[in-house]
Amino acid sequence: MADIEIFADLLQTPRARAFLAHFAPMMRARGFVRRDDFLPESIPGLLGNLVMLERQAGTFRYRLVGSKIAGMHGRDLTGTTLADWPSTIAAALQAQYETAVATRAPILSHYAAPAYRGTRFEIVERRWEKIVLPIAFAGDEPNGVLVCACECAEKDPLPACWAGTPERGCWCAPPGKAQVA
């Protein structure tokens, strides 16, 4: 069983809260989401913020990338793998996703990242929050992740889990699970 509700007080964006509320019953029931649970028509307002990755050959392959995420990166990542990222970013993402799959626990991350703005592709730094849930594409063993990444408003204060960390962000897991700052 996943202690998914512990993140409710740390979430800053309405979309992240809606994602948590929608998938919390499935996480509580078995500790992961099944691919069959993912019905796009049931969460139309969240689709642009979602990413689905499947573990393949020691890495994770992007199977679905929402339009807001593609816009943030300036390209559609569908079909690419974590190996296509710079090694430091790939290692951090791999660790988050492996932890979620292995522990059947949600991961919450707050981070600063560059994003594209407008048609000039001016890169500006934005603050994001991301929830990572383990997902099983078939059967009863998670073998991927379902991610919701939402841009935080500039007026929002830094969350308590990020405050005081020297890094450009944080990631958390429920008590008793792996935690990395």
Side-chain angles (χ1 to χ4, degrees), residues 4 16 19 22 27 30 51 63 65-66 68 74 79 83 96 102 108 113 129 133-134 136 144 156 163 170-171 181:
I4 195 165
F19 177 80
H22 182 80
M27 288 294 296
R30 57 186 168 266
V51 177
R63 291 194 48 181
V65 178
K68 289 183 181 167
Q96 281 185 359
L108 171 64
E129 67 183 353
L133 302 179
D156 290 337
C170 63
W171 60 283

Side-chain angles (χ1 to χ4, degrees), residues 21 23 36 46 53-54 62 109-110 117 123 145 157 171-172:
F23 288 104
D36 294 346
L46 295 175
L53 299 100
E54 184 174 15
Y62 289 88
S109 174
H110 291 97
R117 178 174 58 188
I123 297 178
V145 291
W171 60 283
C172 312

